[in-house]
Amino acid sequence: MTPSMMLPQDPRLRLLTAFGAVLLVSQIGGLVTALSALAAAAALTLAQPQRPGWRRLVHLEGFLILLFVSLPFTVPGAPVASLGPLTVSAEGLLLAATLGAKVSASVLVLTLLLGGLEPARLGAALAALRVPETLVRLFVATARYRVLIGDEARRLGEAMHARGFTPRTDRHTLRTYGWLIGMLLVRALERAERVEEAMRCRGYTGRIPRLAAPRPAAREIAAAGLIVASAAALLMVDRL
Amino acid sequence: MHIPDGILSAPVLVGGAVAAAAGVGLALRRIDERAIPRVAILAAVFFAGSLIAVPVGPSSVHLVFGGLMGVMLGLGIFPAVLVALVLQAVLFGFGGLTTLGVNTFNIALPGALLGGLLGPMIRRASPPGAAALAAVAGAGSVVGNGVLVALTLRLSSPDYAPVASVVVATYLPLVLVEGAITAFAAGFLARVKPDALSPQLT
């Protein structure tokens, strides 16, 4: 069994597997089971031929840092150490470590299963999973325009830098960025009008034909089932 | 701001998903086929804008544009935010899958409310007036987002209560920057392309 066979290839299965696994892992409460989930996700990541995206684990929102730093102090329990008037509780450390393991495991699962997925294929998978047609088309179109508008934003940014703009904490920076967004919006809206007219010229009726996706192979369904069943088993052990 | 997978309790996740689905469903019924490119392109602009890091002292903040989206898209902000969050999860691996509903609701609701409330006044005002009102929408949507994130954490577990009570304070730099940039962007639009400031979903 090659490493890539451990993951389903069908985008529909990937979506369902990722959602199921992450949902189950997110409800784990104990440190040992949370660390097991993290270890399993890390092992699966390491087994893949492509370079693992560990960098994504480093991304932390501000309030998460606040949560991890403060939980050891704010959760009541057996004191382990004291820092002036503050005491670190064993329960708090345990909770912070458990949350950290669950969050990291989820990010790895997400990256593993959805990371390399092309937005157009993902859109087709969403449609096959009965997501409303309008929402699917919105998703596919946004994925496409994101690239176009990103290029436009880069061009405008380069033009600003060529004229000596350096972002600082001042009124000038805020106004420049405000106008940059305004300009992006004006150009983007004009593009939207052109696109809409061009599409109607070609008889666009609100539906784009999509190829029917083949049934996933039994092996893929088994791979998906194995991942979700492992997550379910961990949650069951956790609840015992 | 995004809450990742693995933090929230099941009832909060389900509640968030149901609330977001209601908002998205309501919006989808109002969005005409022909308005899809407009909503998609605006969602893409806001996605690109959220990648700009505005320096605040030694640190920096990333913009959300909830207020501006609310004014320009009305209820359309719900699907626009949902789609942008899915893209972020797929492309960069942050945000979360189980928290998509909660995060969509927390960002879109303040924007939709402020856009609905202040939008008509912004469209009637002169460019400086529009900018001032847009500042309120921009700053207010970040405050609203912060309050909802705090509420989400507090409802999930009593252990999160101490953090929930200070989380809004960490939003303060973003409140000021977002208010200012939304004001400049809306002032610019009011002068250059005033009809951009109204949600045209049909």
Side-chain angles (χ1 to χ4, degrees):
Chain A
M1 193 161 163
T2 63
S4 60
M5 280 166 80
M6 289 192 273
L7 298 179
Q9 295 304 314
D10 185 275
R12 289 165 294 182
L13 277 179
R14 284 199 167 212
L15 263 177
L16 291 176
T17 311
F19 189 78
V22 167
L23 187 63
L24 290 164
V25 167
S26 78
Q27 297 310 311
I28 284 177
L31 179 61
V32 178
T33 32
L35 284 175
S36 312
L38 178 57
L44 210 53
T45 304
L46 279 174
Q48 298 310 306
Q50 64 268 43
R51 209 164 44 86
W54 302 121
R55 205 167 38 85
R56 291 181 170 179
L57 287 181
V58 184
H59 177 91
L60 277 182
E61 299 272 347
F63 83 90
L64 265 188
I65 299 172
L66 203 65
L67 201 59
F68 290 141
V69 170
S70 70
L71 278 177
F73 297 102
T74 55
V75 176
V80 178
S82 59
L83 210 80
L86 303 168
T87 48
V88 176
S89 76
E91 283 80 355
L93 279 176
L94 198 71
L95 181 60
T98 309
L99 285 181
K102 286 198 305 181
V103 170
S104 308
S106 305
V107 172
L108 285 179
V109 169
L110 207 66
T111 313
L112 204 57
L113 286 164
L114 302 184
L117 224 52
E118 235 177 279
R121 289 188 70 202
L122 188 58
L126 289 172
L129 293 172
R130 304 285 164 85
V131 170
E133 179 72 18
T134 312
L135 200 56
V136 172
R137 272 188 292 127
L138 199 56
F139 174 75
V140 176
T142 306
R144 164 73 185 131
Y145 296 142
R146 177 194 74 86
V147 180
L148 294 178
I149 304 240
D151 288 346
E152 186 117 14
R154 237 182 323 279
R155 267 198 300 281
L156 287 171
E158 273 165 25
M160 280 156 55
H161 286 294
R163 286 159 182 78
F165 172 74
T166 3
R168 288 189 198 88
T169 313
D170 58 10
R171 187 186 156 87
H172 175 67
T173 300
L174 295 175
R175 191 180 54 201
T176 308
Y177 277 142
W179 288 0
L180 169 68
I181 294 297
M183 197 62 221
L184 267 180
L185 284 167
V186 167
R187 291 191 183 182
L189 286 169
E190 279 164 8
R191 187 193 285 270
E193 278 162 32
R194 286 199 303 275
V195 168
E196 205 263 314
E197 278 168 23
M199 280 162 71
R200 278 208 289 153
C201 269
R202 287 158 183 79
Y204 175 66
T205 54
R207 243 161 232 285
I208 295 173
R210 215 175 264 116
L211 289 177
R215 265 184 72 88
R219 180 168 46 73
E220 292 190 53
I221 297 177
L226 190 64
I227 294 175
V228 177
S230 315
L234 276 176
L235 184 60
M236 267 167 68
V237 171
D238 184 73
R239 289 288 156 94
L240 283 180
Chain B
M1 201 161 291
H2 319 60
I3 304 176
D5 294 311
I7 300 278
L8 300 178
S9 71
V12 171
L13 290 178
V14 173
V18 169
V24 172
L26 211 60
L28 287 184
R29 251 190 285 157
R30 303 226 180 139
I31 296 178
D32 188 72
E33 304 290 352
R34 288 165 47 190
I36 289 177
R38 185 176 190 270
V39 179
I41 280 190
L42 287 178
V45 173
F46 293 118
F47 184 94
S50 70
L51 300 177
I52 299 176
V54 183
V56 176
S59 172
S60 67
V61 294
H62 287 269
L63 302 166
V64 188
F65 296 119
L68 197 55
M69 270 199 277
V71 171
M72 296 183 71
L73 289 172
L75 267 184
I77 186 178
F78 274 94
V81 168
L82 175 62
V83 159
L85 289 178
V86 172
L87 268 182
Q88 278 188 337
V90 174
L91 296 171
F92 310 127
F94 64 72
L97 213 52
T98 58
T99 51
L100 269 179
V102 171
N103 287 333
T104 301
F105 182 76
N106 288 353
I107 295 173
L109 184 73
L113 288 179
L114 284 163
L117 200 69
L118 297 174
M121 290 155 78
I122 289 176
R123 291 187 273 281
R124 256 177 294 150
S126 60
L133 288 165
V136 177
S141 66
V142 177
V143 173
N145 180 215
V147 169
L148 287 175
V149 167
L151 205 66
T152 311
L153 288 173
R154 184 174 291 252
L155 285 175
S156 257
S157 161
D159 290 335
Y160 301 158
V163 170
S165 56
V166 293
V167 82
V168 181
T170 67
Y171 277 58
L172 196 62
L174 182 59
V175 171
L176 300 174
V177 169
E178 178 110 0
I181 290 190
T182 305
F184 284 121
F188 180 92
L189 287 174
R191 276 191 300 273
V192 177
K193 195 175 168 67
D195 56 337
L197 288 169
S198 55
Q200 297 145 12
L201 299 180
T202 50

